[in-house]
Each structure stands twice: as structure tokens, then as C-alpha cells.
Amino acid sequence: MKNVKTILIIGLILSAFIAAAQEKGWYLTAAGSLGANNYRYTLDNKNHSIPQLGFGGNLGVQYFFSRHWGLATGVGISFYNSKGNYANSWDNDPQHYAFEGMYDDDFRYLFGDDYTHYTLRLGLSDWTEVQQGYFIEIPLMLMYQTKWGASQSWGMYFGVGAKAQIPVISQTYKVNTGSELSVSAYYETPDLVLPDPNGPDVSWHGYGVNDKITYDGDMEVKTSFALSGKIGFLKTLSPRVDLTLGAYLDYGLNNIKNGNKTEGAYLIGPENNAKTIHPSSYVGDHLQYNGYLNSHAVDKVNLLAIGGELGVRIRLGKLETEVVVIPEIIEPVKPEKYAYFVRVVDSLTLEPLATRVEMNCTDCPAGENGTFNSSKDSSITLRLRPAHTYPFRITKSGFPDYTTEVITSTVPGFANVPGNQNITLKVPLRPVIKGNVKNTKNNPLSGVEISLLPSGGIRSKLVTDNNGNFTTMPLDARTRYQIIAVKTGYDTARTEITIPVSAEELQPVYNVMLEMKPSKKIILSALVLFDFAKFDLRPEAKRDINNIVSMMKENPEITLTLDGHTDSRGSAAYNEKLSLQRANAVRDYMIEQGVSPQRIRAFGWGYRKPVNQCKPKVHCTEAEHQENRRVEFVFKDK
């Protein structure tokens, strides 16, 4: 249960790292490993454990806080596998193999005793035990990386740190078939001579060898804390994906042998010496085997792993793609300065642009700075120093200026000198929409709410100034925009404008003119008054209704008709009911604010009177459906 809780905590920590990994320098990593993952121990201070093949896998995150240095963590699982051998053990170690105080009743007729004392002796030959188990691993490492080459597509990485290794699933041992167990008895009566001519005539009597015996069971080990290191190569497959190939080494620092398992022998004989027992019955029977790591045959156990690792890492967050540098090797123009060809393109379509390019480097020598004109058919040739930062300001008539920086890099060429490079500056061209709203008498209207709705995008709102003017923010999308003007006391005005995708056809400013006609019908926040399938009022709707309430209190001769509407989704009967509920919700609120019920009537029209093309079975966007979820105010004099 303790290990399960630990794994859950690890998962939560790793999830938090991944959720946060949306900034520059974060990577998600996954790798698999294959190598010698070993329980490292010495058997009775003689034979060392023999590493066997192990494997593992891990998932993690890396954060590089500079170009070269970073931190890495994650979670993984590894399979450890080793074995230990006894070549021969006929040394009669009493702790392990001799069991005294046994009795045999075969000779009572010779000596007059009911029993004859003997010592049971066991021997192991070619005895092989295999240990296997899984560990959950949690590393924390300091990482260093470097890349080289013109395209920075090759590199190396190094890592050093610590790792916690938690035993999970199972830790087992097993004695291989072919391991031999020999059983003999040593009788304490001196000069024993048996009457049986086929029996032994000395005190030592062998009873056989069993090479078919097998033992298996569970080991008890503790969490390991290890020093961890890795080294390898990087190969960039795409701007986001790197392939990794390297080696790893994990060296366990602490003894993971369970402290409660240090005193027992790994072979334990029978405890029934009070009975008449013939030693021949012990060739593999009545013995308990505990395993190396559960007995005093092993004093100390450390984990040791070394092997290879193959993985992939994925860059998270936004990629910086404003400047693309493509090198090409040619002879240098002159010593210390080299030819760089600068080309300006539209960042959306990559079409070449005719622009004004200004370079103003504060620490550059005279002659490097200047202003240049790019064309659609040719690039600008500059003489620049390698491995230096140059700022650029790109100006295109009518559009906002765009600034960026380029770091020139060195490319090996003839005679080991830098060569020619092509520099592509990607400029985002972002036009604006400027508009003016007037009434039918050509007077500007201030305070008009302007909704800008891009095709397939998110609606934004503006308000006209005292001169009836409005200007949008620079637009990211080049698409069709619907412009809607709403003001109390006027009919809604609409228009559309399409921003072309082609850079050649693009204009920096698009002008629109809207005329609004006075009307006795007032639409209250027609686009967003009600949520889908609901008739409760939003806080902003109540503020607008309060203005209407104030006007009706000042003009007691005015009566009001409330027309409720829905979008086209759902049945006709359902929408008739919902539209009336919306109109009554507005009516009830106005009555609560002090307007006489006799002055307000409410009607529901369902989806029969849409303000756009969104009729039943016509596909519409959510923004278009919102325009129809509304209540209209119609005022009349008494």
C-alpha cells in the first residue's frame, strides 16, 4: 500500500510538470533501455553476483533554463536480473550444512541404545540461484546539451544526478534445475562396523545426490538511492522532435538488504530430532530454503545498472520561427566579413515583399548599418560579420513596423572560413478596419456598440467615439468579417468585408461606412442576451433593462411590447414556449423595478423571425445562433 501511494504522488507531480510545460525550453521525453541491471552482492565473501540482461522504460520532462543547461525528472520502471553460483561447498560449514543431534534406531540391537547419534551433513555443488525484480525509478538530474553544424541537427547531452528506486510488483529468487544437493550422515560411535555386508564399515555414510530439486520464493529488499549518470547523442528529426541514443550508469549507494533477514541460514534442516529418523530420507526432503538475500550468506546488496538507452524528446510550447537562416557555402567576399542575402516574405503566404529594411546595430563599425529596399524579385546583399547579432526594422507603407534580430552563424567552407548565408525575414502583415457610423441625417453617432465577427472566429466588441469612428486592432486572420452596429433607438445596421489572403492584394486599412435608421423597435443585446436553452437574465442584460425602466418612468404615456425569439434548434413547440418565457422574464423584472403591468405585453415568436439566414435545418455558427436568442422592445404611445 505504501508503494501504491508513492506511485500516485509521482503521477501527480509528473502531471503538474507536463501541465506547466508550455514555455520556452520545456521537453517531454520517453525512452527505453537495455543493459546489465544487477543485484550486486558477494556470496559468503567468496563468489560475486553475475549480472544478467535487464530492461526498462521511462517518461519525463526536461526544462532548459539556458541554451545549454537544464533540469530533468520523471518516472520509470526497470527490471533487475542477476544470479549467484556455488561451484562446490564441501567445507562442512556448520552454520549452513551440519545439523547435529539426530538419532538413528538401526543400530540399537548392537549398542543397546534405542538410538544412535549422528550428524546430518549437506553439500551444495553447481548451485545456481537467480534473483529478479522490478523497481519504480524517480530521477532528478542536471543536464547539459550542445548542438553543432549549420542546421544544428546534431548534438550531445550529458546528465548527472540522483535516483530513488522503489521495489514494486515482485522481488523473487529461484534455484535452477541442475543444482546438486548431497546428503550424508556422520555417526558419533567410533569404529562403527555394520553387520550388513553391503553397508559401510566406517562412520561416514553417504545417502545420495538430488539434482532435480528446485526452490523459489520472495525476497525482501528496501528502497535504493543511487547516483545516476547518462551520456549520448541527439539527432533533430523536426523543429519539435529529437531522437536520443546514449548510455546510462546507476550506482546504488545504500544496502537494500532487509535488516530483518540477516541472521537466518539459507538451508534449514528438520527440527524433529526426537524421533527415529533415517538420514536417507533427507535427500531433498524436510529442508527449508530461504534464498541468498534472505540469509546471512549475503551481508550487503547494492543495485548497479549499466547499458544503452534509445528515446525521443518533444519540444513543448511555441517555436520561434520568425527568422529562418539557411546557409550555403561559397567563397567569402573579403576577410572578416561575408555575404548574407536577406529576403523579406509574408509570414502567412511566404510571398516575397517589397519593403524598406533598416539595420541599426549599435556596436557595429561604420559601413555595416544602413537602409535598403527589398523587391519581390531579388534579395538584399549585406556584408556582415559571423556570430554577431543584427537588429532589423522592416517597413511597408501603411502597415505597422516590424522589428526582429538575426544572429549570423559560422558555416565551414573553403579553407575553413565561413560561407554565404540566406536570411529570410518573415513579416506578419496585419491590416486594420476603420469605420464611421452616422444617422440618416448624416450626423455621427457615438456610443454605438460595434461587433466584429470573423468567419469561424471569436467575436470582439468596440464602441464608437464622439465622431462616430472606430478602429479595430491589427487583424491576425485574413478572412470575411461581419460588422454589426447596435444602439438603443435605432435599427441594427450590418455590413461585411473580406480581407484577401494574398499579400499582393492586401491593403493596410479597410474603410467601412454604416448608416443607422431611427426606430421605435429597440433590440436589447440581441446577440448575447440569452444562453442556449435558457431564459434567465444575465447581469449585463439587467443593466440595459434598468435604462429602459428609467425611460418608461419618465414617459408614463409609453407602452411596451416585448417580443421573445429563439434560435432554430429544437422543435417549434419547444421554442414557442421558450421565447415566451424569455419575454416574460424581462416583463417580470421590469414590474419588479416599478413599471405598471398594464403597460407591458409579452409575446413569443419561437424561431419564426430570425435576424439572419439561420432557419431550421440550415447549418450556422454559434455566433450566428446567438444573434437570434433575443428579446425585442417595441414602444408605442397610448
Side-chain angles (χ1 to χ4, degrees):
M1 180 61 69
K2 182 178 180 181
N3 287 343
V4 173
K5 292 180 179 178
T6 304
I7 295 170
L8 290 175
I9 293 173
I10 295 167
L12 291 174
I13 295 173
L14 184 59
S15 299
F17 264 93
I18 296 174
Q22 302 299 322
E23 301 294 336
K24 176 182 179 183
W26 285 91
Y27 295 84
L28 178 66
T29 64
S33 62
L34 192 67
N37 297 352
N38 181 30
Y39 296 88
R40 185 169 174 265
Y41 60 84
T42 301
L43 190 60
D44 281 337
N45 298 316
K46 297 175 183 178
N47 301 318
H48 296 287
S49 59
I50 303 172
Q52 304 296 298
L53 186 64
F55 56 85
N58 62 78
L59 179 67
V61 291
Q62 297 177 351
Y63 175 68
F64 281 85
F65 44 81
S66 71
R67 184 178 179 183
H68 297 293
W69 293 98
L71 295 172
T73 187
V75 63
I77 187 168
S78 289
F79 174 72
Y80 276 71
N81 186 14
S82 61
K83 70 178 181 179
N85 291 336
Y86 268 121
N88 203 330
S89 61
W90 295 98
D91 56 359
N92 299 323
D93 183 346
Q95 282 191 315
H96 297 169
Y97 315 117
F99 304 103
E100 300 177 347
M102 301 295 178
Y103 302 94
D104 189 346
D105 62 348
D106 284 353
F107 305 108
R108 59 187 176 183
Y109 64 91
L110 293 176
F111 304 105
D113 297 328
D114 290 335
Y115 304 99
T116 300
H117 294 263
Y118 72 92
T119 298
L120 182 67
R121 294 182 177 178
L122 308 176
L124 305 179
S125 181
D126 297 324
W127 192 268
T128 301
E129 178 188 304
V130 176
Q131 302 87 34
Q132 296 179 336
Y134 290 87
F135 289 81
I136 289 289
E137 299 182 327
I138 314 165
L140 180 61
M141 307 189 76
L142 177 66
M143 300 295 297
Y144 176 85
Q145 70 172 4
T146 182
K147 290 190 175 183
W148 59 77
S151 59
Q152 299 283 286
S153 61
W154 286 94
M156 288 194 70
Y157 66 88
F158 308 87
V160 62
K163 179 181 290 187
Q165 299 169 297
I166 306 169
V168 293
I169 304 177
S170 64
Q171 305 284 323
T172 63
Y173 67 84
K174 183 177 181 180
V175 175
N176 288 347
T177 301
S179 300
E180 295 183 353
L181 174 66
S182 301
V183 180
S184 61
Y186 183 79
Y187 289 84
E188 299 176 11
T189 303
D191 301 324
L192 175 67
V193 179
L194 301 180
D196 184 355
N198 297 321
D201 57 0
V202 293
S203 297
W204 185 275
H205 197 312
Y207 287 98
V209 175
N210 189 342
D211 62 355
K212 301 292 192 297
I213 194 167
T214 60
Y215 293 105
D216 58 66
D218 294 330
M219 304 182 302
E220 296 187 26
V221 297
K222 299 183 292 186
T223 296
S224 171
F225 298 95
L227 292 178
S228 183
K230 60 173 61 179
I231 182 174
F233 294 94
L234 297 169
K235 177 63 174 78
T236 298
L237 303 180
S238 73
R240 285 194 180 275
V241 181
D242 292 330
L243 184 69
T244 62
L245 177 63
Y248 67 91
L249 172 65
D250 296 330
Y251 182 82
L253 298 176
N254 62 309
N255 184 4
I256 66 171
K257 179 178 171 64
N258 192 317
N260 297 326
K261 294 290 184 178
T262 59
E263 297 300 326
Y266 53 81
L267 275 174
I268 299 177
E271 298 181 358
N272 54 353
N273 53 1
K275 298 180 180 179
T276 301
I277 299 174
H278 196 281
S280 62
S281 66
Y282 293 136
V283 185
D285 296 333
H286 310 296
L287 299 176
Q288 177 182 337
Y289 184 80
N290 290 326
Y292 295 161
L293 271 61
N294 291 340
S295 71
H296 54 48
V298 173
D299 294 325
K300 184 178 181 180
V301 183
N302 302 85
L303 295 183
L304 177 65
I306 184 170
E309 188 176 70
L310 177 65
V312 64
R313 71 175 190 175
I314 302 172
R315 180 72 174 269
L316 302 174
K318 289 186 177 181
L319 296 176
E320 296 180 359
T321 57
E322 295 299 328
V323 178
V324 178
V325 180
I326 305 175
E328 180 183 346
I329 300 175
I330 64 169
E331 286 188 346
V333 176
K334 62 179 181 179
E336 297 184 356
K337 290 187 180 181
Y338 307 95
Y340 290 84
F341 295 159
V342 179
R343 190 168 64 102
V344 182
V345 300
D346 175 25
S347 62
L348 182 63
T349 64
L350 301 183
E351 296 177 64
L353 300 176
T355 63
R356 181 171 175 265
V357 180
E358 178 184 352
M359 190 177 70
N360 186 16
C361 176
T362 56
D363 60 345
C364 293
E368 286 193 0
N369 291 326
T371 301
F372 317 93
N373 293 321
S374 69
S375 69
K376 298 179 181 178
D377 303 320
S378 62
S379 57
I380 304 168
T381 302
L382 302 179
R383 304 291 188 260
L384 306 176
R385 289 168 293 162
H388 196 78
T389 301
Y390 289 93
F392 289 91
R393 178 185 296 274
I394 298 96
T395 302
K396 184 172 175 59
S397 178
F399 290 94
D401 290 351
Y402 175 73
T403 59
T404 187
E405 287 186 345
V406 172
I407 301 176
T408 56
S409 58
T410 300
V411 181
F414 297 103
N416 197 30
V417 295
N420 169 45
Q421 291 187 340
N422 295 325
I423 299 176
T424 301
L425 302 178
K426 293 183 177 181
V427 179
L429 297 180
R430 303 175 65 193
V432 298
I433 297 176
K434 291 186 177 182
N436 182 260
V437 183
K438 296 181 179 180
N439 60 19
T440 54
K441 296 181 180 180
N442 205 34
N443 295 322
L445 292 176
S446 63
V448 179
E449 184 181 276
I450 303 297
S451 294
L452 185 70
L453 189 63
S455 176
I458 300 175
R459 180 173 56 86
S460 59
K461 286 188 177 182
L462 305 166
V463 177
T464 58
D465 59 19
N466 292 334
N467 297 317
N469 296 323
F470 66 89
T471 302
T472 67
M473 296 292 289
L475 304 174
D476 290 319
R478 301 180 191 172
T479 183
R480 177 176 62 85
Y481 287 88
Q482 187 178 43
I483 303 169
I484 304 170
V486 176
K487 183 176 175 65
T488 301
Y490 292 86
D491 288 337
T492 299
R494 304 167 185 270
T495 189
E496 287 187 357
I497 188 169
T498 300
I499 309 297
V501 174
S502 172
E504 186 174 349
E505 301 175 7
L506 191 65
Q507 300 176 19
V509 178
Y510 290 85
N511 295 301
V512 296
M513 180 70 68
L514 290 159
E515 183 181 80
M516 301 189 72
K517 299 178 181 180
S519 174
K520 290 185 178 181
K521 180 185 290 186
I522 300 176
I523 300 176
L524 177 63
S525 300
L527 291 176
V528 292
L529 181 57
F530 292 96
D531 292 331
F532 175 67
K534 293 183 179 181
F535 58 86
D536 50 322
L537 300 177
R538 294 178 175 177
E540 59 269 22
K542 291 181 179 180
R543 289 193 294 268
D544 292 336
I545 297 173
N546 289 337
N547 294 331
I548 304 299
V549 169
S550 298
M551 181 192 70
M552 292 189 69
K553 288 181 179 180
E554 294 172 359
N555 301 274
E557 72 282 359
I558 293 178
T559 61
L560 175 63
T561 298
L562 299 173
D563 292 335
H565 303 273
T566 67
D567 61 33
S568 58
R569 292 175 289 187
S571 67
Y574 170 79
N575 282 292
E576 291 284 346
K577 178 181 178 181
L578 179 60
S579 63
L580 182 58
Q581 288 173 321
R582 289 173 174 173
N584 280 328
V586 177
R587 181 178 185 272
D588 293 343
Y589 180 78
M590 295 182 70
I591 293 172
E592 291 175 4
Q593 304 307 310
V595 180
S596 172
Q598 286 73 28
R599 299 176 61 191
I600 311 172
R601 295 193 303 167
F603 295 94
W605 297 94
Y607 52 62
R608 288 178 288 167
K609 295 185 177 183
V611 297
N612 51 32
Q613 80 283 2
C614 296
K615 296 180 180 180
K617 298 183 180 181
V618 175
H619 176 73
C620 294
T621 65
E622 180 58 29
E624 291 170 329
H625 282 307
Q626 284 184 344
E627 294 179 16
N628 292 320
R629 297 197 295 267
R630 70 195 191 278
V631 167
E632 296 181 350
F633 291 72
V634 180
F635 296 92
K636 295 182 179 179
D637 294 334
K638 288 184 179 179

